[in-house]
Every structure is written in structure tokens, then in C-alpha cells.
């Protein structure tokens, strides 16, 4: 590989959830004016998935973070009140429902006429175990436009067919008369959600252009030879849960239309349920509405209404939803003229949707309306007020019971409640979004940092300390400035624009570029606990899980391509070590090349193969899954989903490959080659974090442990309790010995009764109470109790300290 070119003639903006970067490095960008800029075609394509600044009544940009009521991202021209008198009063079973069904039936007849021209041809279907199926049990050939995933599943087992929620289909090829565009598969997603917190926007029928993988309705006919057919169940697959909850949102939407005659807007699945937004004029939802909605959904379930997919043109859509100004707005702004999109029907509900969905509504065995709120159309305060109802559903009533029990536990374990009770953290309006770490909270925070730093020493990382503020030129060079600037705290320094850093990676690239690097120097593992700041919207701030000031156990590994596998295995082993100590389980996913990936395909293929090899070596084949097309545009990544004590999923740790920042910063190292053009090579950059944000991990662990911190993390480890004031001096001497050994120990010298002192110590979550009476003083001992009121008995003070040291060293 020769010395990298610095040609930067063409610049196109690309976006990812983590950052936005440029195709070419070292190009200072002009100030971005979202109102007047006309981006290039590639830039516009990227911007379609990038959160944009929204304006407030005060005229200032609110920043990039969406508020809780965000909706589809559309043109600024749609930011106006459009609901009008489309809803005036609650009306049961409004007349327009049947008119919409009548219009639907007319359009359906046209599609049936089109379908009659399609010629079914024999197809082959390969199952995950490699078995190839071509015929059913009656020796009837599987054919395109006829055979469905459900019919294939029935040939294997009726139980399997009934248990499957959705299919994941990887096509080898399509039938010659099949068109993705005519089938509505290339239409923009009309369910894109502005919030980047909890809506699952990638699983609703999206495909991966590289390997032709789709989520597919169980009852939808196949359209070509299938190289892999996976039948996904609710309990075993995140995509299946997303589809299940998406279908449940449609069912709740149907109930809302039946009961109130409201105008539905959007109803997406979330990470743990779903919601539907509707326009109800000046009316509003209330808790009294929950029971009626649940009863109506119960009727819908009993009817086993089939979910039916239909392709429509934009014009047909405008006719179908003529009485719903919000659907008309979606069609007008998101669906190009002359193109096609899709709708789904269950009962008399017809909704714009990419799908896929359940085979019928009877699959939902348990449903609950959980909460409601008001929001704004598109998340803009100047737009119509909408009513949002949240819900959750399951394929088994027992699951709903468990879910409700876990919700109650979650309330009790809320880190905000525990942190307040245990005096760990406080917040103040004068610095919203930035935690004040009180003495006991700082003990836990520092212990987490120290824990990771100890592992850095063992695992060959070098810590660096980088500036907190940079000239904005750095962020132009890295590419963050174009679409991340509104999430940064910017200010003037002697006439130039500077900003507080929101991430460490560009600074680490400057360090790498600051010296001549040899292939012998690699890998370089650079770790940084630098303070980061992100300008989150005040409405998006939430305890310690969404803050403006935080620290990460951030590290970047610069390595040769042939070192990727070994470095990733080492990072995975690091991750396992950390989460085993926390008592949390995890699942691994390999997110592969997306449609808008940058870089050579061969490099991507080699990188994905290296990650797959690392995951196979680390955990064994078949223990992880592929998440097709969900990698960052700059490189593939390993998504690490960790589960806490309440089986909630968190994504804290991450391992990502990056081919692009080394290009933008022109990073290179000298090789061993003397051949002209091969003396220099580009390093691969690995972004990795074990904890992620220390603040967020603190919150996760607080709820995982329920405030009962293990001894090694505990801010209150030992309470020494004298039975009588005569033994106070002895107790204070025990406390001093514990303090010298590095333990957090306190003596209760209050006038409370002995029983009250013990109870107070247990409520305060001291891991151990050391009870001291006359006998203990004479013997030079303490009587040990745990916070669970187990009496461990009498031990010499020195023996007790040795016991505590062993527990601490074993991270217990």
C-alpha cells in the first residue's frame, strides 16, 4: 500500500448514530445553515437518516436530540398545524372506516389483476441446517408467488409453524418477473422515528442489499430461490419481538379508531413495547380509557383478523387516507411521485406500513395499555398536539404477569430513587444534565474507574490525557462538525470557534499522527477517561442514563489488518471478565456492511471475516448472530447486549472497526517492505469500550444490584456498632484499623438502641455490621452480621480484616 493520497476534490457527508464524517480528510467546511443549505445528492441521502436541528418558539435551535414525542423526519414545510377539524368529538365506529375499506377493496382488485400476470416457477428453499427443500409432503413443488414461509414451516412441524412470529429470508435470486420497486420494497420507511433512544427503526422489513436478507411475513408468498429461511420466535429473537410489538401497535390503533374515531399518525415498536400517536383535537386520553382499549383489543384478538399486505401507488394512498391529514402529510413528503409504498390491513384498520407483521391478531394472547402522554406532531411544539398511548403485549399471559412483576421491581430499583436514598448523586438546575457526585457516590464512581485502569495495566493499554476543548477545525477535519455540531458546546476564543469535546477519537488520531510509527509499534492501545460534554436537549435528560457531562472508559486500538482478529478476541475477553464480575450475561451480534458503506468491498469482507473468526474463537460457532447491514458506514462492529438481574437488555460495551478516521487524519505507519509504493500502510482503528459511559454504567449497576452493592464496590462497607457507650473507644479503634486496610467503615455513636442501630445499618446497605460488647472488647474480637441479618459469629479483628480483603480481591 502506497502513501495515502490527500486528494479531497469530492466531499460527501455520511452519517451514523455515533458521528458524521467526510469522504475526504482535511477539508474545512463552511458554517452549516440548515435553512439555506442545498446539500449534494450524496449528502442529502445521508442527511435523510441524520437528526436535524428543530426550532423552538423562541427561535433558537433545540439541538439534535429528539424530544419524547418525535415523529417522522420530514420537510420543514410540514411544520404547521394540519389536524384542523378532522376530529371534533369522540365517535364510536365512525362512518369513514367503511369508506376506507371500500376504497381499499377497489385498490386490491387492481393488485390482483396485476398479480395474475405473474408466473409461478419452482423454487428451492434452504433451511439453516443446510437442508434443501423443493417439494411438500404431497410432492407438490414449492413455487414462487404461492409458497409461503408458513407453508414451508408446516412441512416441518405444525407446532413450529404456529410458534413462528416472522421469517428472515435470504434470497439467492429473484424470479425474472419480480420487481422490488413494484412490490413496494424500495419505498422510504413511513415509520421512521425521530427519537434515537428506543424505537427500533431497522427491523421493519428493511433489507440488506449485499446479501438479500429480509424480514418476511409468514403468510407472504416467496419471490425467488431462498438460500436461507429462518423461522423466528418471540422468545428467541429481537427482530421477532419487534414484529410482534409492531403488529400489536396496529391492533391498539384499530381499537383507538373504533372507540374514539381519532386520526392515527404513527405507531412504532419500541425496545420493550410500542405506542400509537393519534390526533384528538382538544380532547385527551386519560387512565379511564385504558380498560376500554384493552377490552376492544381483546375482541380484535378473538376475531383472529389476518394481517394483509398490499402495495399501493402514492395516488392511491392519497385517496385511501383522504380524511386523515397526517397520513396525507406522510405520503406527500416521504413518498416520491410515481413510486409505490405499502399498507397493511387487519380488520378495518388500514395503515401505511412496511411491515412485516404477524399472520393474524390471535397470536397476541396478552395485552396491556401501560401509560399515556401528550406529544407534538413531528416533535415540534408549533405543530398539532397528539395523544400517545403506550402498550405491551405477549404471546403468553404468563409473560405479561412476569413483565408486570418486573415493572414493579424496576420502580423499586430505579437508580434515581436509590441514588437519592443512599445520598450518592444529586442534580441542580444550575447545571442540568451534570451529576454532582456526593462522597459516597464518588466512591463507587472512582472504584469503577480504578477497576478498568487496573485491567489496562494487565492488558497492555497506555493511558493518555487529552484536551477538553479544541478549535472547531479538528471537528471539521474529523467530519463531526457538519451534523454533530448542534450536540456540542461551542464558544468563541479570540475570534475563532472552539468546542468542548463530545468524544475522544479525533484527539487520539492527533496523538498517533504526532510521531513516526513503525509496523513494529503496532498495536498501540490508547485509553482515555477524559471528561466529555454533549449538548443534550433538556427534555431528553434522564437521571444518569442521559447526561451532558460524562466520562467513558474509551480506548482506541491502532493495529495492522493482520492483527484485527487477535485484538478483537482480547477485547472480547476483557468484556467477559468485566461482565462476569458484574454478574451479567451477554449476547453477541456481528453487524455487517450497510448499503452506504465507505471503502473497498474486499476490505469489508476481510474485516467481517476477521470479526467472525474472533467471535468463533471466543465463544464458539453458532453462539452469536449476524445483524445484516447494521454496521456503521465506516466499518463492521460487534454489538454486545448485556442482560441485568431483571433480564433487561443494555448495550454498554462496544467493539467497532473504523477504516475512515485513519484516512481523514492521514494516519500511516512504515512497513517492512522496501518496494516502491509499499513502504507505508494505513492502520485499522478499533473503537472499544467496556463500561461505556461510567455514569450510565453506574445507573445500570445500581438497578442491577438494587442498591445492594457488592463489598468491592460498596460505598458503605462496614458499620461498627457498640452495644454500650463504654465500648465506643474500642469501636473507633476497630474503625481506624479498617480504614488503614482501605475499607469504608463508620461507627454508630448515636443514642439509638442496639436493635435500631443494626436495623439502620442494614437499611443503609452496609455490607457488614460489627457488633461490639464487653466480651468482644476482652477478646479483641468483633461479632459479625451481614446486611441480610445473617450472624457470622465472633472473629479476631485481624481475621475479620483478612476475610474482607479476600472478598474484595475476589470482587465479591
Amino acid at each position: 500500500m502506497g502513501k495515502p493520497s490527500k486528494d479531497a476534490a469530492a466531499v460527501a457527508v455520511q452519517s451514523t448514530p455515533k458521528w458524521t464524517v467526510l469522504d475526504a480528510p482535511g477539508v474545512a467546511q463552511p458554517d452549516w445553515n440548515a435553512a439555506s443549505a442545498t446539500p449534494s445528492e450524496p449528502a442529502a441521502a445521508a442527511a435523510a437518516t441524520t437528526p436535524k436541528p428543530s426550532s423552538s418558539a423562541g427561535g433558537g435551535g433545540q439541538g439534535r436530540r429528539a424530544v419524547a414525542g418525535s415523529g417522522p423526519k420530514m420537510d420543514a414545510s410540514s411544520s404547521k398545524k394540519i389536524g384542523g377539524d378532522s376530529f371534533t368529538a369522540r365517535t364510536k365506529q365512525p362512518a369513514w372506516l367503511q369508506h376506507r375499506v371500500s376504497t381499499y377493496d377497489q385498490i386490491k382488485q387492481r393488485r390482483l389483476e396485476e398479480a395474475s400476470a405473474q408466473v409461478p416457477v419452482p423454487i428451492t428453499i434452504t433451511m439453516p441446517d443446510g437442508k434443501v427443500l423443493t417439494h411438500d409432503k404431497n410432492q407438490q413443488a414449492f413455487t414462487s408467488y404461492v409458497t409461503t414461509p408458513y407453508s414451508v414451516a408446516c412441512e416441518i412441524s405444525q407446532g413450529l409453524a404456529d410458534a413462528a412470529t416472522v421469517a428472515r429470508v435470504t434470497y439467492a435470486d429473484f424470479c425474472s418477473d419480480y420487481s422490488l420497486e413494484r412490490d413496494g420494497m424500495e419505498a422510504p420507511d413511513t415509520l421512521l422515528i425521530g427519537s434515537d433512544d428506543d424505537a427500533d427503526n431497522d427491523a421493519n422489513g428493511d433489507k440488506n442489499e449485499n446479501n438479500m436478507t429480509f424480514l418476511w411475513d409468514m403468510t407472504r408468498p416467496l419471490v425467488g430461490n431462498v438460500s436461507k429461511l429462518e423461522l423466528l420466535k418471540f422468545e428467541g429473537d429481537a427482530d421477532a419481538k419487534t414484529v410482534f410489538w409492531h403488529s400489536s401497535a396496529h391492533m391498539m390503533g384499530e381499537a383507538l379508531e373504533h372507540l374514539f374515531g381519532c386520526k392515527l399518525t404513527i405507531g412504532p415498536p419500541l425496545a420493550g413495547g410500542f405506542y400509537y400517536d393519534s390526533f384528538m383535537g382538544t380532547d385527551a386520553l386519560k387512565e379511564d380509557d385504558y380498560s376500554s382499549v384493552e377490552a376492544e383489543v381483546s375482541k380484535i384478538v378473538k376475531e383472529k383478523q389476518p394481517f394483509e399486505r398490499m402495495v399501493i401507488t402514492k395516488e392511491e394512498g392519497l385517496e385511501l387516507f383522504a380524511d386523515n391529514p397526517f397520513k396525507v402529510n406522510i405520503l406527500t413528503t416521504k413518498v416520491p411521485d410515481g413510486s409505490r409504498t405499502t399498507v397493511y390491513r387487519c380488520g378495518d384498520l388500514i395503515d401505511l406500513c412496511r411491515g412485516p407483521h404477524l399472520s393474524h391478531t390471535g397470536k397476541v394472547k396478552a395485552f396491556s395499555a401501560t401509560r399515556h402522554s401528550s406529544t407534538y406532531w413531528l416533535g415540534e411544539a408549533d405543530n398539532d398536539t397528539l395523544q400517545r398511548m403506550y402498550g405491551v403485549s405477549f404471546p403468553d399471559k404468563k409473560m405479561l404477569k412476569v413483565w408486570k412483576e418486573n415493572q414493579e421491581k424496576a420502580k423499586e430499583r430505579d437508580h434515581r430513587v436509590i441514588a437519592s436514598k443512599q445520598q450518592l448523586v444529586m442534580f441542580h438546575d444550575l447545571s442540568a444534565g451534570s451529576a454532582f457526585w456526593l462522597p459516597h457516590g464518588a466512591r463507587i464512581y472512582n472504584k469503577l474507574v480504578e477497576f478498568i485502569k487496573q485491567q489496562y495495566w494487565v492488558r497492555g493499554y497506555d493511558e493518555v490525557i487529552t484536551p477538553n476543548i479544541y478549535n472547531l477545525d479538528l471537528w471539521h477535519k474529523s467530519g463531526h462538525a457538519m451534523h454533530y455540531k448542534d450536540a456540542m458546546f461551542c464558544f468563541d476564543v479570540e475570534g475563532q470557534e472552539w468546542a468542548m469535546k463530545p468524544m475522544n477519537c479525533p484527539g487520539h488520531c492527533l496523538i498517533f499522527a504526532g510521531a513516526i510509527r513503525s509496523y513494529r509499534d503496532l498495536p498501540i492501545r490508547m485509553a482515555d477517561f477524559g471528561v466529555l460534554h454533549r449538548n443534550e436537549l433538556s427534555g431528553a435528560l434522564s437521571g444518569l442514563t442521559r447526561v451532558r457531562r460524562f466520562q467513558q472508559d474509551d480506548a482506541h486500538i491502532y493495529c495492522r489488518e493482520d492483527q484485527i482478529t487477535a485484538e478483537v478476541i482480547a477485547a472480547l475477553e476483557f468484556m467477559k471478565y468485566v461482565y462476569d464480575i458484574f454478574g451479567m450475561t451477554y449476547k453477541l451480534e456481528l453487524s455487517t456492511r450497510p448499503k452506504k458503506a465507505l471503502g473497498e468491498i474486499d476490505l469489508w469482507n476481510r474485516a467481517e471475516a476477521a470479526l467472525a473468526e474472533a467471535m468463533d474463537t471466543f465463544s464458539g460457532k453458532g453462539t452469536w448472530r449476524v445483524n445484516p447491514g447494521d454496521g456503521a458506514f465506516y466499518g463492521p462492529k460487534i454489538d454486545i447486549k448485556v442482560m441485568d438481574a431483571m433480564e433487561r437488555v443494555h448495550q454498554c460495551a462496544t467493539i467497532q472497526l473504523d477504516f475512515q478516521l485513519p484516512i481523514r487524519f492521514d494516519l500511516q505507519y512504515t512497513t517492512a517492505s522496501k518496494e516502491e509504493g509499499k513502504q507505508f500502510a494505513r492502520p485499522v482503528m478499533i473503537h472499544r469500550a467496556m463500561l461505556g459511559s461510567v455514569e450510565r454504567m453506574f445507573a445500570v449497576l445500581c438497578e442491577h444490584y438494587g442498591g445492594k452493592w457488592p463489598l468491592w464496590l460498596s460505598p458503605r462497607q462496614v458499620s461498627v456498632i457498640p452495644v454500650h457507650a463504654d465500648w465506643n473507644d474500642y469501636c473507633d479503634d476497630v474503625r481506624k484499623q479498617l480504614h488503614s486496610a482501605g475499607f469504608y467503615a463508620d461507627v454508630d455513636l448515636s443514642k439509638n438502641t442496639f436493635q435500631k442501630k443494626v436495623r439502620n445499618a442494614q437499611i443503609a446497605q452496609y455490607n457488614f455490621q460489627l457488633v461490639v460488647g464487653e466480651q468482644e472488647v476482652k477478646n479483641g474480637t468483633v461479632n459479625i452480621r451481614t446486611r441480610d441479618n445473617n450472624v457470622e459469629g465472633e472473629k479476631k479483628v485481624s481475621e475479620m480484616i483478612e476475610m474482607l480483603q479476600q472478598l474484595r480481591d475476589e470482587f465479591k
Side-chain angles (χ1 to χ4, degrees):
M1 180 177 181
K3 188 173 182 177
S5 169
K6 295 185 180 180
D7 180 18
V11 177
V13 179
Q14 305 292 330
S15 66
T16 74
K18 187 173 182 183
W19 49 55
T20 300
V21 295
L22 299 177
D23 286 358
V27 179
Q29 304 172 36
D31 288 340
W32 174 250
N33 186 330
S36 61
T38 305
S40 64
E41 184 176 346
T49 60
T50 303
K52 298 176 182 177
S54 57
S55 59
S56 64
Q62 294 186 48
R64 82 176 179 88
R65 289 295 188 194
V67 295
S70 297
K73 292 300 179 186
M74 301 185 189
D75 297 336
S77 60
S78 65
S79 296
K80 58 184 179 180
K81 292 187 176 177
I82 59 177
D85 60 358
S86 61
F87 179 96
T88 54
R90 297 190 179 203
T91 306
K92 289 189 175 182
Q93 300 291 344
W96 50 261
L97 288 176
Q98 290 308 310
H99 175 73
R100 187 175 64 189
V101 170
S102 176
T103 304
Y104 176 93
D105 289 339
Q106 295 173 26
I107 300 171
K108 181 178 178 181
Q109 190 59 41
R110 297 173 205 151
R111 295 296 92 81
L112 290 174
E113 292 172 2
E114 290 179 5
S116 65
Q118 295 173 324
V119 180
V121 297
I123 58 174
T124 62
I125 299 165
T126 304
M127 303 305 292
D129 62 1
K131 185 176 182 180
V132 179
L133 305 177
T134 58
H135 296 75
D136 63 19
K137 293 175 182 177
N138 297 320
Q139 295 305 305
Q140 293 293 316
F142 290 144
T143 57
S144 60
Y145 306 122
V146 176
T147 301
T148 66
Y150 182 80
S151 60
V152 174
C154 286
E155 295 302 312
I156 302 170
S157 160
Q158 186 65 48
L160 173 63
D162 292 338
T165 297
V166 69
R168 186 183 294 121
V169 180
T170 302
Y171 281 100
D173 53 49
F174 292 127
C175 298
S176 59
D177 60 350
Y178 177 74
S179 165
L180 284 169
E181 188 278 326
R182 289 193 64 78
D183 199 23
M185 295 293 287
E186 296 185 341
D189 192 347
T190 55
L191 252 187
L192 282 178
I193 305 304
S195 172
D196 58 2
D197 299 325
D198 49 11
D200 190 333
N201 299 325
D202 299 321
N204 299 322
D206 282 2
K207 68 181 181 67
N208 177 272
E209 191 174 86
N210 306 317
N211 57 20
M212 306 289 282
T213 300
F214 304 77
L215 287 179
W216 205 263
D217 304 85
M218 288 293 291
T219 54
R220 180 181 172 189
L222 299 166
V223 294
N225 292 307
V226 177
S227 61
K228 187 177 183 181
L229 174 62
E230 301 169 82
L231 303 172
L232 311 180
K233 297 181 182 180
F234 178 90
E235 292 183 77
D237 190 273
D239 285 344
K241 286 183 178 177
T242 295
V243 169
F244 192 94
W245 284 328
H246 189 183
S247 298
S248 301
H250 279 233
M251 295 163 62
M252 186 169 71
E254 181 181 356
L256 292 171
E257 285 190 337
H258 286 178
L259 294 170
F260 312 129
C262 54
K263 300 300 180 182
L264 299 180
T265 60
I266 57 170
L270 305 174
F274 49 89
Y275 69 76
Y276 220 119
D277 286 346
S278 61
F279 177 67
M280 298 180 67
T282 57
D283 201 347
L285 291 170
K286 49 187 180 294
E287 284 192 33
D288 292 345
D289 294 321
Y290 292 11
S291 58
S292 60
V293 170
E294 290 172 350
E296 189 66 22
V297 170
S298 181
K299 294 178 184 177
I300 294 168
V301 168
K302 291 177 181 177
E303 292 172 3
K304 295 185 177 180
Q305 302 169 357
F307 280 90
E308 185 176 78
R309 178 183 186 271
M310 187 173 75
V311 180
I312 61 171
T313 65
K314 179 175 181 176
E315 294 71 24
E316 289 168 340
L318 292 172
E319 178 186 7
L320 188 62
F321 298 105
D323 63 349
N324 187 326
F326 301 94
K327 301 296 184 184
V328 168
N329 188 264
I330 293 172
L331 284 160
T332 302
T333 58
K334 292 183 71 67
V335 180
D337 292 340
S339 68
R340 293 185 166 201
T341 187
T342 55
V343 295
Y344 273 79
R345 175 183 176 179
C346 63
D348 53 20
L349 174 84
I350 299 158
D351 205 357
L352 284 169
C353 185
R354 292 180 67 175
H357 282 284
L358 298 171
S359 54
H360 61 77
T361 58
K363 296 286 187 181
V364 177
K365 303 298 185 184
F367 169 91
S368 178
T370 56
R371 59 191 175 100
H372 71 282
S373 65
S374 63
T375 183
Y376 298 108
W377 173 239
L378 307 184
E380 298 287 349
D382 293 336
N383 291 352
D384 291 287
T385 299
L386 306 178
Q387 297 301 308
R388 174 173 294 180
M389 179 168 279
Y390 291 88
V392 71
S393 62
F394 297 94
D396 187 287
K397 290 182 179 179
K398 293 179 181 177
M399 292 182 181
L400 178 59
K401 181 181 178 181
V402 171
W403 179 86
K404 288 183 175 180
E405 290 172 352
N406 285 338
Q407 290 301 109
E408 290 303 313
K409 290 179 183 177
K411 290 179 183 177
E412 296 172 1
R413 289 173 175 243
D414 190 314
H415 74 276
R416 292 165 294 188
V417 174
I418 292 172
S420 176
K421 284 183 178 179
Q422 296 187 3
Q423 297 181 342
L424 306 176
V425 177
M426 64 166 274
F427 289 90
H428 198 285
D429 288 344
L430 291 179
S431 188
S434 297
F436 290 77
W437 291 91
L438 304 179
H440 290 85
R443 291 173 179 180
I444 302 172
Y445 195 102
N446 290 335
K447 184 61 70 174
L448 286 170
V449 173
E450 177 188 330
F451 169 56
I452 295 297
K453 287 188 175 186
Q454 287 172 346
Q455 288 303 304
Y456 283 161
W457 179 260
V458 172
R459 298 173 189 273
Y461 286 80
D462 287 309
E463 281 195 74
V464 297
I465 300 173
T466 51
N468 278 40
I469 59 173
Y470 292 92
N471 188 300
L472 208 67
D473 284 350
L474 173 72
W475 308 104
H476 286 308
K477 184 170 185 176
S478 70
H480 294 86
M482 179 66 83
H483 286 286
Y484 206 89
K485 182 180 175 184
D486 57 324
M488 299 167 67
F489 287 100
C490 301
F491 48 92
D492 177 86
V493 176
E494 298 179 344
Q496 295 192 16
E497 196 166 18
W498 285 56
M500 303 184 77
K501 66 177 178 182
M503 67 272 298
N504 290 309
C505 29
H508 291 185
C509 287
L510 293 181
I511 292 177
F512 186 96
I516 297 174
R517 309 291 181 180
S518 165
Y519 71 95
R520 297 187 185 90
D521 298 328
L522 304 184
I524 293 174
R525 305 183 190 98
M526 209 177 292
D528 194 340
F529 270 100
V531 176
L532 306 177
H533 288 84
R534 296 183 185 175
N535 189 11
E536 305 284 2
L537 286 175
S538 58
L541 300 175
S542 178
L544 292 169
T545 59
R546 181 62 69 85
V547 292
R548 287 174 172 159
R549 183 270 186 205
F550 61 100
Q551 289 175 255
Q552 290 180 322
D553 64 328
D554 205 5
H556 297 95
I557 302 169
Y558 298 90
C559 64
R560 305 189 306 268
E561 188 179 332
D562 64 291
Q563 296 172 321
I564 291 175
T565 299
E567 288 303 308
V568 171
I569 290 173
L572 288 170
E573 289 172 345
F574 192 172
M575 178 276 300
K576 181 180 186 302
Y577 177 81
V578 169
Y579 287 97
D580 281 352
I581 285 174
F582 291 156
M584 302 173 79
T585 58
Y586 57 87
K587 293 180 180 179
L588 304 178
E589 296 180 358
L590 173 58
S591 295
T592 58
R593 184 167 63 92
K595 183 177 180 180
K596 294 179 181 178
L598 296 182
E600 300 174 359
I601 292 179
D602 286 345
L603 178 58
W604 273 87
N605 290 340
R606 294 195 303 272
E608 289 174 6
L611 290 183
E613 181 185 356
M615 294 166 76
D616 283 342
T617 302
F618 170 70
S619 61
K621 291 184 178 181
T623 60
W624 52 273
R625 65 180 288 261
V626 176
N627 196 2
D630 201 44
F633 73 92
Y634 51 81
K637 60 179 180 175
I638 297 175
D639 290 324
I640 301 163
K641 308 291 179 64
V642 298
M643 277 70 73
D644 65 15
M646 292 178 288
E647 297 185 352
R648 296 179 302 179
V649 177
H650 306 275
Q651 187 159 347
C652 303
T654 185
I655 301 171
Q656 302 181 14
L657 298 192
D658 188 348
F659 311 133
Q660 300 307 315
L661 272 186
I663 294 173
R664 291 176 197 93
F665 282 87
D666 195 21
L667 305 184
Q668 53 195 311
Y669 61 88
T670 59
T671 70
S673 176
K674 302 297 183 182
E675 184 179 341
E676 184 64 30
K678 293 186 178 180
Q679 297 99 327
F680 297 93
R682 188 84 70 196
V684 175
M685 187 175 180
I686 302 175
H687 303 258
R688 53 104 301 199
M690 299 297 110
L691 305 180
S693 157
V694 181
E695 280 75 1
R696 186 166 185 269
M697 178 53 67
F698 179 98
V700 169
L701 291 175
C702 191
E703 297 179 3
H704 174 60
Y705 294 129
K708 292 188 174 184
W709 302 96
L711 180 73
W712 75 275
L713 265 181
S714 179
R716 296 177 175 89
Q717 294 170 322
V718 179
S719 176
V720 187
I721 301 173
V723 174
H724 190 276
D726 290 347
W727 325 126
N728 285 359
D729 290 343
Y730 178 85
C731 288
D732 191 55
D733 182 65
V734 171
R735 183 198 65 79
K736 289 177 181 178
Q737 292 182 61
L738 286 164
H739 182 81
S740 297
F743 291 100
Y744 301 123
D746 298 298
V747 181
D748 188 343
L749 300 178
S750 70
K751 295 182 179 180
N752 289 326
T753 64
F754 164 70
Q755 290 81 3
K756 180 67 172 175
K757 290 179 179 181
V758 171
R759 182 60 182 153
N760 285 346
Q762 291 171 347
I763 292 174
Q765 298 303 328
Y766 282 91
N767 300 77
F768 294 96
Q769 299 96 51
L770 307 183
V771 178
V772 173
E774 183 178 4
Q775 179 178 326
E776 285 77 21
V777 173
K778 288 180 179 179
N779 298 337
T781 61
V782 291
N783 206 298
I784 304 172
R785 293 180 181 224
T786 70
R787 63 181 162 204
D788 297 320
N789 208 30
N790 295 322
V791 178
E792 299 287 328
E794 193 174 349
K795 281 185 182 290
K796 291 284 187 182
V797 173
S798 59
E799 293 174 351
M800 177 269 299
I801 291 176
E802 287 178 6
M803 179 193 76
L804 295 181
Q805 287 172 332
Q806 182 176 349
L807 290 173
R808 182 177 61 188
D809 292 345
E810 294 175 354
F811 298 102
K812 293 180 179 179

